[in-house]
Amino acid sequence: MNSPLTRLARLPLAFTAVLCASLLASVARSDELPRVAIFATGGTIAGVQATPGAAAYKPGVLTLDHLLSKLPGLEKVARLDGEQIANIASQDITAELWLHLARRAAERLADPDVAGVVITHGTDTMEETAWFLRLVLRSEKPVVLTGAMLPATDPAADGPVNLRSAVATAASPAARGYGPLLLLNGELHSARDVRKTATEAIDTFQSPNDGPVGSATPAGPVFTVSANSLRPAPGDGFDLAALDAAKLPRVAIVSAHGDVDGTVVDALLALPAERRPAGIVLSGVGNGNASAPLLAALERASREGIIVVRSARAGRGLVNRNMEVDDDKLGWIAARALSPQKARILLVLGLTRTRDLAELQRLFDEA
């Protein structure tokens, strides 16, 4: 018998002692690495092409275990705990899944042994998930959302470097206090400002108003913006424990465009009471404006008790009160810096707290 233990026993005692001490030190260093929890939800980062080299692919196929197996050496960056929350294309995200993900993240962030959380996610609604988490998570620890624009089977897949950089960022004390961050293409963006701006480009995520907050590398993050300079969650955030997906208010988004009338709004008003939205977000032209017929339909909606928020389909700038539309007269809310999709999320959560227009406007002013 010539097992490793047998061979070790034949070594000189002094050498054996040195070797054992070295092994124990290595184990100790490994135990001292920060712990990062990873939650996988699917998306392009877990996608598989229909055929090798094809443009078409199916997102949400590969598991988190498979993704991590393609990243040797990651165990030298952090101790990893993985959990497959879902494996879907992100356009299929639901409020129920948002709440489940947020609660699992909150549980892990509350563990003193966990330095941060990474979430792999499809890019189509990643900015919405980041914003939702910004509104409901209270921890100062890093939460980093990442994904890919190219599927895992593509020779140029960007998922591996994004995931490696996300783990390094979540493990870094420098990332504390920023709220959820979105990481792609070596850039770090705050949840409030980031938007997907291109259908296929690797640099699709931009923060048009304020720019990225830093850069990310497999060795760790470098921040160019102080965490203290970022706005806190509006209204000090929302109580995650009190939220029930089945009871969240319905909020619809209605788009303005050339030759638009009020048909969509009138159709919403004609729905049965249990399906009628509690709020409507206008994805407006210019400074949150719309045609006279659409504005008239929205005025009818507000007279029937539906909360109306004006936002803009433009990618940059603010929607301020009373600029082109008399919000004070109509009893409407201006979305300020939020995109239509993020305005919708804030209104959904805001309506769980109040229907007071001044209080709701304050939430948007603070966002």
Side-chain angles (χ1 to χ4, degrees):
M1 182 175 178
N2 194 26
S3 70
L5 289 176
T6 302
R7 291 195 298 271
L8 182 60
R10 292 173 182 167
L11 293 173
L13 183 59
F15 184 80
T16 302
V18 171
L19 180 58
C20 289
S22 176
L23 289 171
L24 289 172
S26 175
V27 170
R29 285 193 296 270
S30 175
D31 288 344
E32 291 168 4
L33 286 174
R35 183 179 296 280
V36 171
I38 305 179
F39 297 111
T41 67
T44 298
I45 192 171
V48 173
Q49 291 162 313
T51 57
Y57 67 94
K58 183 177 180 181
V61 175
L62 302 176
T63 65
L64 176 59
D65 287 343
H66 179 92
L67 299 181
L68 294 177
S69 72
K70 301 299 181 182
L71 293 174
L74 197 58
E75 71 281 356
K76 298 178 181 178
V77 178
R79 292 173 290 154
L80 304 178
D81 295 334
E83 183 174 337
Q84 192 81 43
I85 295 287
N87 213 355
I88 60 172
S90 69
Q91 64 265 27
D92 291 323
I93 200 80
T94 63
E96 184 177 7
L97 186 52
W98 272 337
L99 285 169
H100 176 57
L101 176 62
R103 288 180 174 129
R104 288 296 297 127
E107 289 170 8
R108 297 313 313 277
L109 291 167
D111 183 345
D113 191 41
V114 172
V117 163
V118 169
I119 299 168
T120 64
H121 199 289
T123 59
D124 285 350
T125 60
M126 190 189 296
E127 66 201 74
E128 295 178 58
T129 298
W131 178 238
F132 180 84
L133 294 175
R134 178 70 176 123
L135 296 176
V136 300
L137 292 180
R138 303 295 180 92
S139 177
E140 289 290 301
K141 295 178 182 179
V143 176
V144 186
L145 290 89
T146 195
M149 291 301 291
L150 294 169
T153 53
D154 192 291
D158 53 324
V161 69
N162 289 337
L163 182 51
R164 189 182 293 274
S165 297
V167 170
T169 299
S172 173
R176 292 178 64 95
Y178 282 88
L181 294 165
L182 191 154
L183 187 161
L184 218 78
N185 193 41
E187 292 185 333
L188 291 165
H189 296 268
S190 74
R192 169 184 176 267
D193 294 319
V194 66
R195 301 186 184 204
K196 186 172 182 178
T197 64
T199 57
E200 296 180 347
I202 297 295
D203 63 349
T204 182
F205 284 107
Q206 304 290 324
S207 294
N209 286 324
D210 297 325
V213 298
S215 57
T217 72
V222 178
F223 289 96
T224 55
V225 174
S226 166
N228 293 331
S229 68
L230 298 182
R231 288 172 175 255
D236 293 324
F238 295 85
D239 182 4
L240 182 58
L243 298 175
D244 181 343
K247 296 180 181 178
L248 289 177
R250 291 175 177 267
V251 174
I253 298 176
V254 173
S255 295
H257 52 81
D259 194 35
V260 67
D261 59 19
T263 301
V264 172
V265 174
D266 289 334
L268 292 172
L269 293 177
L271 290 171
E274 67 274 13
R275 296 185 58 201
R276 179 186 285 198
I280 294 176
V281 174
L282 169 65
S283 176
V285 296
N287 197 335
N289 210 337
S291 68
L294 180 50
L295 292 177
L298 289 169
E299 187 174 1
R300 290 194 293 275
S302 59
R303 285 200 301 266
E304 294 195 26
I306 294 176
I307 305 297
V308 174
V309 174
R310 290 189 308 109
S311 66
R313 70 184 197 184
R316 183 161 56 94
L318 305 179
V319 173
N320 292 310
R321 288 188 65 81
N322 304 317
M323 290 291 290
E324 296 184 60
V325 176
D326 193 339
D327 296 302
D328 290 343
K329 176 183 176 182
L330 295 168
W332 292 354
I333 295 164
R336 300 283 290 158
L338 296 184
S339 65
Q341 54 270 32
K342 291 181 184 176
R344 177 192 166 276
I345 292 170
L346 181 55
L347 184 57
V348 167
L349 295 178
L351 286 172
T352 66
R353 180 181 293 179
T354 183
R355 288 184 59 85
D356 182 83
L357 295 175
E359 289 298 317
L360 290 170
Q361 182 63 69
R362 187 173 295 110
L363 288 176
F364 281 87
D365 291 342
E366 294 175 358

